Amino acid sequence: WGWALDKLIDKTPECSRKGLIAETYPKIARFHRWWFRYRDLFNDGLPCYMTGNDSGWDNSTIFDEPWPVQSPDLTALLILQAESLASMAGVLDRCDEAAQWRKEAEHLLDRFKEVFVRGDTLIYRVLLPMGAAVRTSSSLLTRIPLVLGSRLPVAVSRRLVQEIGDEKQFLAPSGPASESLASPKYEPNGYWRGPVWGPSTLLIHDGLVRSGELSLAQIIATRFCDACAREATFRENYNALTGEGQDDSGMTWSGADFLLLAEMLNPTQRST
């Protein structure tokens, strides 16, 4: 929510921004705390997903083991959310709260590096009955932390960019595949096990921009927009290799992501 609200605030007229922030700040703050109150199943200060549905990536391959998962994407988004809450608190003249949120963001970033970084690789953990087990992943979900941009260790950032830009791994003709094309678990119409999705494409695009990888960001935006434009029915997801629309049509997230990415590709033709 913090990541999304930052984008919305930027597009809100200045005269209306403080009202928007005043309305949303307490709600996002409560939701932020919810993760730590009800999803800190490892008892180490980092929330986890009970199931794939908690993440929105329902059947991603990181959920193949039927146990809670502590994934780096969740912590990365919570870091950005804490930073967003700090900014909102500052606008509302809640200086003490702003300082607390900044401190929390810094603490979460330190814990992110301690728990999820192994050399140049990001891992995730599964809470098995006998304790936490470390896993590596072929899912795009564990590449979403690229949204942290310069906050990431340089070696990790470089590897994420390399993998996302590799046409044998994630860079498919229709955009970033949700599961590596090289993975034995890749499925062309496997929901979160292969197809290209608008929301994940937008997050990866944002991470590339934050990391200064503008050329690759443009390639990804172009490929996704081209896939959408072929049918113009805004399908739920797209076959990574053929661009064929899959599952439901008329999906607002695909339409919204298309408009945002098309605007970034051609800023002189702003959407209305």
Side-chain angles (χ1 to χ4, degrees):
W1 281 106
W3 178 89
L5 190 65
D6 281 348
K7 305 293 184 186
L8 292 172
I9 289 172
D10 285 343
K11 291 181 174 290
T12 300
E14 288 191 22
C15 61
S16 303
R17 287 183 182 178
K18 192 166 185 177
L20 171 64
I21 291 170
E23 178 184 356
T24 55
Y25 171 74
K27 299 174 183 178
I28 295 176
R30 287 197 299 271
F31 182 62
H32 187 92
R33 294 301 182 205
W34 180 90
W35 282 102
F36 296 89
R37 182 175 299 171
Y38 296 106
R39 288 295 185 268
D40 183 11
L41 304 181
F42 287 65
N43 294 314
D44 64 356
L46 294 179
C48 68
Y49 297 127
M50 286 282 288
T51 71
N53 292 341
D54 270 359
S55 72
W57 292 55
D58 307 7
N59 69 331
S60 167
T61 53
I62 74 167
F63 303 111
D64 283 355
E65 296 176 84
W67 306 104
V69 168
Q70 194 177 58
S71 182
D73 69 293
L74 176 54
T75 299
L77 291 171
L78 289 171
I79 291 167
L80 296 183
Q81 185 158 273
E83 292 179 353
S84 178
L85 286 163
S87 297
M88 287 189 278
V91 171
L92 298 174
D93 298 319
R94 301 184 181 185
C95 298
D96 290 344
E97 292 179 29
Q100 290 172 2
W101 287 120
R102 285 192 293 270
K103 184 176 180 180
E104 174 159 340
E106 293 170 0
H107 172 71
L108 284 174
L109 181 58
D110 288 341
R111 293 289 290 132
F112 176 94
K113 294 175 181 178
E114 291 170 6
V115 173
F116 298 115
V117 175
R118 299 288 190 278
D120 64 352
T121 302
L122 292 181
I123 59 92
Y124 71 99
R125 302 200 302 170
V126 179
L127 184 57
L128 301 176
M130 65 288 296
V134 171
R135 302 283 189 264
T136 56
S137 172
S138 54
S139 171
L140 186 66
L141 182 57
T142 56
R143 278 70 182 178
I144 294 297
L146 191 63
V147 294
L148 289 174
S150 61
R151 303 169 190 78
L152 283 173
V154 173
V156 172
S157 180
R158 285 176 179 168
R159 175 159 184 170
L160 291 178
V161 171
Q162 184 274 322
E163 291 175 341
I164 291 167
D166 185 347
E167 293 189 327
K168 293 182 179 180
Q169 295 192 63
F170 292 103
L171 184 57
S174 303
S178 50
E179 177 75 12
S180 172
L181 302 172
S183 168
K185 296 183 177 182
Y186 170 82
E187 300 176 32
N189 193 9
Y191 220 56
W192 287 101
R193 303 170 76 91
V196 172
W197 291 72
S200 55
T201 298
L202 191 65
L203 283 165
I204 290 295
H205 181 274
D206 184 65
L208 290 169
V209 171
R210 290 173 186 248
S211 303
E213 301 291 336
L214 303 183
S215 178
L216 182 54
Q218 184 174 27
I219 290 170
I220 281 176
T222 300
R223 293 188 182 191
F224 178 76
C225 287
D226 285 349
C228 290
R230 288 191 196 104
E231 299 181 22
T233 54
F234 297 116
R235 303 298 290 269
E236 189 169 3
N237 57 67
Y238 294 86
N239 184 299
L241 298 177
T242 68
E244 178 186 0
Q246 300 177 151
D247 299 312
D248 288 338
S249 62
M251 299 301 293
T252 54
W253 63 56
S254 296
D257 296 328
F258 170 83
L259 288 172
L260 289 168
L261 291 170
E263 180 179 286
M264 294 173 196
L265 289 170
N266 190 1
T268 61
Q269 302 291 321
R270 298 187 66 83
S271 59
T272 58

